[in-house]
Structure formats: structure tokens, C-alpha cells
Amino acid sequence: MTFILVFHVLLVLTFTIRILLRDDLSPPVRLAWFIVLNVLPYVGIAIYFLFGETDLGHRADKRHKEIFDEIHENAKQFMGTPADVDQLINPEYRNSFHYAGSINGFYPVAGNSATLMEDATATRDSLIADIDAAQDYVHVLYYIWLNDHTGTALANALIRATQRGVVCRAMADGLGSHQLIKSQLWEKMKEAGVQLAVALPLDKPVRTLLTSRLDLRNHRKITIIDGKVTYCGSRNSADPEFLVKAKYAPWVDIMLRLTGPIVTQNQLLFISDWMQATGEKLNDFELKSEPAQEGFPAQVMGDGPTERKGATPQLFACLIATARFELTLSTPYFVPDETVLEALRAAAYRGVKVTLIFPKVNDSWIVAAASRSHYFKLLEAGCDLFEFKGGLLHAKTLTMDNKITLIGSSNLDLRSFDLNYENNILLQDKAITNAVLGRQQQYLDSSDQVFFETVSSWSYLKRIKNNIIATVSPIL
């Protein structure tokens, strides 16, 4: 009995010291781990062993640095410069664009244009038409790539392109697309000559568990065609019916089709992932940028566990802090850190019209509960809060002052902040921002507003449940 007690104490103490030694953890995260380790010591230790560390290991960090050093050295002409921020961006928003550029070196480039896709069918048809028109190369990367109508159409388009001599590279995440990677469709692409790669594969789970964690994922959605066209937004290569979670369908997404120099920046982000997965070099790729035409400035922002910690929430906080009169934000998963939460509250307190749109029914009851634990503070500050009831609102959008748009794959949750590779585009343009605002208004038209009085009258049991889950949400 004494041995068991000593073993128990040493085990808990060892993991407690590890948590205390980690400078990358915020006090709320440490507190959450302390609670779990003390309330459920053995289960908590197992959970920490599986999911506690948030890096891919020294080898991945070193490789990431080598890749971006190579990109910065040999492709800097495509990446923009800090001076471009001051030339292209309105003074009141420059700090946010400077901050975005500091993450991985992409600064605004001028001369871009974009079209907001009408819906899922229009997105699929446009993307397939662009691939069918490709002459040089097609690069695609998706977190979730299903072998449904959309996923099969994309695969077949890549096969057709390869058969006419177009170089096609396709990458899918090892967890999000595991069914496709094991399917005949994946094999069919390989046999046709499509170059395939798996981001963060799960073929060596024991090694992954010992050196990293299984749920560090590549959540990006990138398509590049001939260096002329790119797509950016929230949509995976899947039908809105989203068969793996059909209970919550339709999944409501948003996508922009973009042309101009921003395409090459998105291409470089794709290349960084491909190089990490395959070991290929930058000079294995054809890099070209379309001559700048009349158009708006935009920059790519990529984040992930090999970038500096806190980059995404700090970017959101910068953007929110620069809003002058209006900020509208949609996200399916709202579990922010204090940086983002307090920035939203501060914006509302200083008179900015802050509108937040979340799903009414979420595919994660844990996220839904943690999200609703923040409703009281948001509404108390004067934010307008809506819950979308037309399916699972999966669109990740931020519009500001009828002029600034951030769109891409990042959710406002700790998984996007700390664990996932994400891709976004930040742009300044009145026409595109108003188009995205129009889409956000469609979401609002299909939403129920949540009022302060309603949240204040929630039962004690509901409030306790939400707040308990929110307490441990930093480690979920």
C-alpha cells in the first residue's frame, strides 16, 4: 500500500513539475491541467501523455525553419515587404497587417481580384472548370477530402489533368481524410500519375504518441491552378451533406476565388507543407506571379504548431482593436482565449457594433457548452449575438468597417490557435468586404438572436455545466 501511495504521488508530482516548467502555457491552461490531474490523476496523466504537448518535435521545428528560410531567401519577390503595408493599407489598419506579416513573412501585395462563390455547387463547378482549363500545374490540399460527389469530382478532374500532361500534386490530412487515403479513389489517382502526399500521417502512431500528439492536424484548404487562380475559405472537399456527420447537415461554407499576386503567396504556403511531407526542394516547383493589375491589396497568413505560439489569437485581437465602427464575425467553434474575448468586449464597450454568429446546433456538444459559457460576458458588454439555425454554420469570416476582410480556415477556438495548421487571407477592399457582409447578412436572416435576459435566466444546472466545461476547455 505504501509503495502504491508513493508511486501515485511521484507520478502526479512528475507531471505537475512538467506543467510548471512549460513556459508556453498560460495560467488558465496550467490551472485546467492541475484540476484534471488532481481530480482524475491516472486518467489525467494518460490524457496529458496523449494530448498535453502541443509541438511536433525538434525535427519538425528544424525542418519548418529550413523550409521558410529557403522560401524567404529564394522567393522574397513574391512575399511583399513591411514597406508595402505603409503604401497599400489605410493608416488605421496598418498595425494588423504588419502583425500578420510578422507571423511567416507574407506582406500585402497589390493587384488582386476576387469572386465570392454563390454556394457549394457553384464552388465545385468553378473549381472543376478551372482544373479542366489548367495547362501547367494544379496543387490541392484539404483537411477533409471525402470520396462523395465533390471529392470524387475533384479526384477525377486531377486525373484528367494529369492525363493531358498537367503536373498535379494532391495532399490530404492523415486524420481528416483517412478514409480517402485508404480508398480505391486515392489509388486510382496514384495510378494515373497524380503526385500524392499525406500531411501528418498516422502510419506510425506509437512514434507519434512518443514524440508529439495524434490530433495536431493540417486543417488548411488550398487550391492553386497555374499560379493564376487560388481558392480560400472554409470549405473542405466534401458535399454540404457531409456524410461523415450528416446529422448536422447542411454544412454552410464560404469560399473566395482569387486571382493576382496573392495566388503565389498561397502557392508558397502549399509548397511549405509539401516540402515538409515529401522532402522536395523549392526549386522543384515552378513559381510565377501574374502581372499586377488594378485590384486590392491582400496577404496570406499561415499558422500552425511550428509557428510561434499565440500568433492567431494575437492577430484577431489586433484586428478587433482596430475596428472603428463595425465588426461582424462568424465561426462554428468559439472557444477563445482571454486575448480575443476581452478584445471583443473592449470593442463593444468603445462603441463598435460587434456582431457574432455561431451555430445553434454544434457537432461538438463540448464546444457548444464552452462557447455558451462566454455569452453572458459578451452580451453584458453590448455584443450582438446570433445562433444560425440553417445547418452547421462552418464559415469562418471577419469583416470590419466595410473595408477589411479575413477569410480562411481558422476557427476562434484553441485548436485553431495552438494545434492546427491553418491558412487565411487578409485583404482590404470595399467591394469584396461588402459581398462577404452580404453573405453574413444571409446567415443573420437564418439566425435567432440571443438576448442578455435569456442568458441571465438560464438554469443553475445549465450554467454550472457550461462553466465546468469552459474551465477545462483550454486542454480540450
Side-chain angles (χ1 to χ4, degrees), residues 85 89-99 299 318-319 321-326 400-404 426-428:
V85 175
I89 305 302
N90 289 9
E92 58 267 34
Y93 308 115
R94 287 174 186 167
N95 286 342
S96 296
F97 282 78
H98 273 297
Y99 182 85
Q299 69 192 89
C318 283
L319 286 164
T322 58
R324 296 170 60 210
F325 59 87
E326 184 178 48
M400 196 165 72
D401 297 347
N402 299 323
K403 196 170 294 182
I404 304 296
L426 177 63
L427 63 90
Q428 177 182 282

Side-chain angles (χ1 to χ4, degrees), residues 296-427:
F296 57 79
Q299 69 192 89
V300 162
M301 189 282 277
D303 194 12
T306 46
E307 294 291 350
R308 69 170 182 261
K309 190 173 177 63
T312 297
Q314 288 168 13
L315 173 61
F316 273 102
C318 283
L319 286 164
I320 294 164
T322 58
R324 296 170 60 210
F325 59 87
E326 184 178 48
L327 175 80
T328 303
L329 188 151
S330 69
T331 181
Y333 309 118
F334 183 78
V335 188
D337 63 4
E338 286 298 307
T339 305
V340 174
L341 181 65
E342 293 307 320
L344 288 167
R345 282 163 47 82
Y349 276 129
R350 62 186 167 82
V352 176
K353 179 176 174 54
V354 178
T355 304
L356 307 172
I357 318 168
F358 311 137
K360 194 175 190 70
V361 178
N362 203 298
D363 64 315
S364 170
W365 68 269
I366 293 175
V367 169
S371 176
R372 289 179 176 131
S373 74
H374 300 298
Y375 281 15
F376 183 91
K377 294 181 72 174
L378 291 167
L379 292 167
E380 179 186 48
C383 298
D384 293 328
L385 207 158
F386 294 82
E387 291 186 335
F388 180 82
K389 56 186 179 181
L392 197 146
L393 180 62
H394 194 243
K396 306 99 164 52
T397 64
L398 181 151
T399 57
M400 196 165 72
D401 297 347
N402 299 323
K403 196 170 294 182
I404 304 296
T405 293
L406 178 71
I407 192 167
S409 69
S410 289
N411 298 303
L412 272 173
D413 69 346
L414 301 179
R415 180 162 296 280
S416 278
F417 291 172
D418 296 334
L419 304 181
N420 290 341
Y421 284 98
E422 307 283 2
N423 72 289
N424 301 278
I425 288 177
L426 177 63
L427 63 90

